[in-house]
């Protein structure tokens, strides 16, 4: 167990240490756009999330050709939960020591008791709950109750964005002018801390997965989180959970397109803000609504980023070809991230052409790189940087994996159907906007 002492760690003040070792202070990952459990920033290149053994083993056994389309798996850390005398809560990571930290699923999956906060509480990809259905708002009913019981943990954020965020569908409850992180990120972080605080008498250390920060190379990351496939429940789901998940799919574009919006942030050149959408927005979309959401994701507030069509389509086609070769694999409840840079090579031209729309940082300065036209020679626009990554494998399976009793035939055609729908919609959008 963790014996938490306090000491000064850099400019961040009080933090936990173990046996004299200096830990790494974890901060909410400010560009998290979807999911349940909090993604944490470990360093510039690395994020971490609560460990689910199935997901860890899946990362460790990924087929080589899938690694291009998944975050790099970097190992495991032990995370200590600590509340200081001022009421602030810190999560601090240390090198993992075998048998010391606990994970969410220490028991074999099929033997685990159904606990109130079991699978939903500590992994990113689950869409269902084992209790009352989650509703739009800053916290779910159950989480609101636990927050009240623990007097609502105070969160002191040190990492933030110079670019404000604005949630469009009313789920943040915060002023868009003052938000320097994606509101969904803080929502998940507060829920995570409340759960961990409620368990703090019994658990002092947690296992967290270390994964590549896939948006690190983007100056202004525009992120679309898509829940993929026509089925979301894993083979080990209870009948009740499976029924709930099937209902969600039937009532959304998961059934009609094999894909639904789970979260989004897109940088707007005209305002200098990120516009954000949550999973609740995505669940209510029709097919036409999904098309409009994709259009909005590719629009920078001044024009549609038509230069993104070909590189994104190329990535999606390559991923589709790879997954069609993965016999017996199923990626239930997995998500797909599409990422591009809101700071494109033509941004400076827009700023110069529309002086009333000059981008402002919080401190009033113009973002670096937009002052001189973006640094690109006229007539030689740089190829836009895009990325496509699969995430969330807590319900994934394949033949021979963890002695799973259910073996599936052929590739995951629900996931492939979602990719086909996405490709078709983007191709139609490209043709309509040439």
């Amino acid at each position: 167990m963790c014996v938490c002492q306090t000491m000064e760690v850099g400019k961040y003040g009080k933090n936990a240490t173990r046996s004299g070792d200096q830990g790494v202070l974890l901060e909410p990952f400010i560009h998290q756009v979807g999911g349940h459990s909090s993604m944490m920033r470990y360093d510039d290149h690395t994020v971490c999330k609560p460990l689910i053994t199935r997901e860890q083993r899946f990362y460790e056994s990924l087929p080589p050709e899938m690694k291009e389309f998944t975050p790099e798996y970097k190992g495991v850390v032990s995370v200590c939960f600590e509340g200081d005398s001022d009421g602030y809560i810190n999560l601090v990571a240390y090198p993992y020591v075998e048998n010391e930290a606990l994970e969410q699923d220490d028991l074999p999956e099929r033997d685990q008791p159904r606990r109130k906060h079991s699978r939903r509480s500590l992994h990113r990809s689950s869409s269902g709950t084992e209790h009352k259905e989650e509703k739009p708002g800053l916290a779910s009913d159950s989480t609101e109750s636990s927050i009240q019981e623990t007097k609502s943990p105070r969160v002191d954020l040190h990492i933030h964005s110079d670019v404000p965020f604005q949630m469009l569908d009313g789920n943040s409850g915060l002023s868009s002018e003052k938000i320097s992180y994606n509101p969904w990120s803080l929502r998940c972080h507060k829920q995570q801390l409340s759960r961990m605080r409620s368990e703090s008498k019994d658990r002092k250390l947690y296992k967290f997965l270390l994964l590549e920060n896939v948006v690190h190379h983007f100056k202004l990351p525009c992120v679309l989180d898509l829940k993929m496939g026509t089925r979301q429940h894993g083979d080990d789901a209870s009948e009740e959970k499976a029924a709930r998940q099937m209902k969600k799919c039937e009532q959304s574009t998961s059934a009609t397109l094999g894909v639904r919006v789970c979260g989004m942030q897109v940088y707007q050149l005209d305002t200098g803000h990120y516009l954000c959408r949550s999973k609740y927005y995505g669940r209510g979309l029709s097919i036409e609504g999904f098309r409009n959401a994709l259009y909005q994701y590719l629009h920078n507030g001044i024009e549609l980023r038509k230069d993104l069509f070909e590189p994104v389509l190329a990535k999606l086609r390559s991923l589709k070809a790879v997954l069609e070769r993965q016999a017996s694999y199923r990626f239930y409840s997995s998500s797909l991230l599409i990422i591009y840079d809101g700071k494109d090579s033509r941004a400076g031209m827009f700023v110069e052409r529309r002086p009333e729309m000059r981008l402002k940082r919080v401190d009033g300065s113009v973002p670096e790189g937009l002052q001189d036209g973006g640094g690109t020679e006229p007539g030689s626009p740089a190829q836009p940087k895009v990325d496509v990554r699969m995430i969330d494998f807590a319900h994934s399976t394949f033949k021979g994996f963890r002695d799973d009793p259910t073996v599936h035939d052929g590739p995951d055609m629900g996931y492939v159907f979602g990719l086909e729908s996405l490709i078709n919609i983007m191709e139609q959008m490209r043709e309509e906007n040439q």
Side-chain angles (χ1 to χ4, degrees):
M1 288 296 182
C2 176
V3 179
C4 291
Q5 304 166 338
T6 57
M7 64 173 292
E8 292 293 316
V9 179
K11 65 180 179 180
Y12 299 128
K14 294 181 179 180
N15 263 315
T17 66
R18 185 193 63 198
S19 303
D21 294 336
Q22 181 169 310
V24 175
L25 176 68
L26 301 180
E27 290 275 346
F29 179 55
I30 63 173
H31 295 296
Q32 179 178 357
V33 303
H36 282 289
S37 73
S38 180
M39 296 291 295
M40 307 296 293
R41 176 192 179 275
Y42 182 83
D43 59 33
D44 286 345
H45 302 270
T46 312
V47 296
C48 59
K49 62 182 291 190
L51 184 148
I52 297 293
T53 301
R54 172 173 290 272
E55 183 169 39
Q56 177 194 14
R57 300 305 181 211
F58 194 85
Y59 271 112
E60 292 174 342
S61 57
L62 274 174
E65 61 180 344
M66 280 188 62
K67 291 185 177 181
E68 174 188 351
F69 297 103
T70 58
E72 178 189 357
Y73 168 66
K74 297 187 174 186
V76 180
V77 289
S78 298
V79 173
C80 181
F81 168 89
E82 177 196 355
D84 66 21
S85 59
D86 295 324
Y88 289 100
I89 289 177
N90 295 316
L91 296 180
V92 185
Y94 303 96
Y96 170 64
V97 178
E98 190 71 34
N99 297 326
E100 189 176 59
L102 297 175
E103 61 205 55
Q104 177 57 27
D105 50 358
D106 282 321
L107 294 173
E109 289 193 52
R110 291 184 297 276
D111 298 331
Q112 285 192 65
R114 291 291 180 180
R115 294 170 297 174
K116 182 177 181 181
H117 291 302
S118 62
R119 210 163 275 288
R120 173 183 172 273
S121 65
L122 288 180
H123 78 77
R124 162 76 170 77
S125 60
S126 172
S127 295
T129 66
E130 294 303 328
H131 50 87
K132 189 172 182 179
E133 179 63 281
E134 196 174 36
K135 297 179 180 179
L138 186 60
S140 67
D141 294 343
S142 61
T143 305
E144 286 176 345
S145 175
S146 65
I147 288 176
Q148 291 172 359
E149 290 171 5
T150 58
K151 298 183 181 180
S152 185
R154 296 170 65 191
V155 181
D156 188 15
L157 301 181
H158 306 288
I159 305 298
H160 61 87
S161 169
D162 289 328
V163 180
F165 292 76
Q166 180 181 13
M167 181 65 81
L168 292 182
D169 42 358
N171 289 327
S172 67
L174 300 169
S175 168
S176 63
E177 296 302 316
K178 298 179 181 178
I179 302 175
S180 58
Y181 37 80
N182 190 299
W184 194 262
S185 171
L186 187 62
R187 176 189 190 278
C188 293
H189 185 59
K190 287 186 174 181
Q191 290 184 357
Q192 187 77 45
L193 290 180
S194 293
R195 288 189 291 266
M196 294 176 76
R197 188 169 189 172
S198 68
E199 298 172 352
S200 61
K201 292 181 180 179
D202 304 315
R203 297 179 64 175
K204 302 299 182 183
L205 279 183
Y206 293 77
K207 287 184 185 178
F208 274 53
L209 285 179
L210 290 177
L211 298 170
E212 174 190 2
N213 174 6
V214 297
V215 308
H216 170 68
H217 298 292
F218 297 88
K219 299 291 186 183
L220 297 169
C222 299
V223 184
L224 180 63
D225 186 331
L226 299 170
K227 187 71 73 175
M228 300 299 295
T230 54
R231 169 181 160 175
Q232 301 302 324
H233 61 282
D235 291 325
D236 61 339
S238 65
E239 290 185 9
E240 180 187 1
K241 181 172 183 178
R244 280 198 307 271
Q245 296 284 36
M246 287 188 286
K247 185 176 180 180
K248 284 182 186 177
C249 289
E250 290 168 1
Q251 296 177 344
S252 70
T253 56
S254 292
T256 52
L257 296 174
V259 55
R260 72 172 183 258
V261 172
C262 195
M264 175 173 68
Q265 71 177 38
V266 55
Y267 182 71
Q268 302 291 276
L269 275 172
D270 55 345
T271 64
H273 286 203
Y274 285 109
L275 295 186
C276 307
R277 296 283 197 182
S278 79
K279 66 179 182 181
Y280 302 111
Y281 164 78
R283 284 183 192 172
L285 294 177
S286 63
I287 294 177
E288 187 59 30
F290 181 89
R291 294 175 189 270
N292 292 338
L294 188 56
Y295 183 94
Q296 183 178 55
Y297 170 66
L298 297 171
H299 200 286
N300 62 17
I302 294 177
E303 72 164 10
L304 184 69
R305 287 287 305 274
K306 293 184 283 188
D307 60 318
L308 295 170
F309 284 129
E310 284 307 321
V312 172
L313 281 167
K315 291 269 190 183
L316 293 175
R317 293 183 188 117
S318 295
L319 175 59
K320 177 175 174 285
V322 167
L323 295 189
E324 286 175 334
R325 294 192 290 269
Q326 308 308 314
S328 83
Y329 278 75
R330 294 296 181 271
F331 307 100
Y332 299 133
S333 201
S334 174
S335 286
L336 186 71
L337 299 181
I338 300 178
I339 312 162
Y340 72 87
D341 207 327
K343 180 187 178 300
D344 73 296
S345 61
R346 304 161 302 153
M349 292 188 290
F350 292 134
V351 174
E352 293 301 319
R353 196 167 66 222
R354 305 278 296 274
E356 73 278 10
M357 292 181 176
R358 290 188 67 85
L359 307 185
K360 298 287 185 178
R361 286 186 183 269
V362 174
D363 62 6
S365 64
V366 179
E368 181 182 356
L370 298 185
Q371 298 167 333
D372 58 359
T376 302
E377 292 296 325
S380 59
Q383 180 75 5
K385 185 187 302 181
V386 303
D387 207 350
V388 171
R389 303 290 187 105
M390 299 174 67
I391 60 171
D392 300 338
F393 301 111
H395 296 290
S396 296
T397 184
F398 59 88
K399 185 178 181 180
F401 183 56
R402 292 172 62 84
D403 296 322
D404 288 348
T406 303
V407 177
H408 301 273
D409 295 325
D412 188 337
M413 294 311 297
Y415 200 115
V416 171
F417 173 54
L419 288 174
E420 290 173 343
S421 297
L422 200 52
I423 290 168
N424 290 337
I425 291 172
M426 288 197 69
E427 287 177 340
Q428 292 170 8
M429 197 178 297
R430 179 191 59 189
E431 296 301 317
E432 294 166 358
N433 291 279
Q434 282 186 339

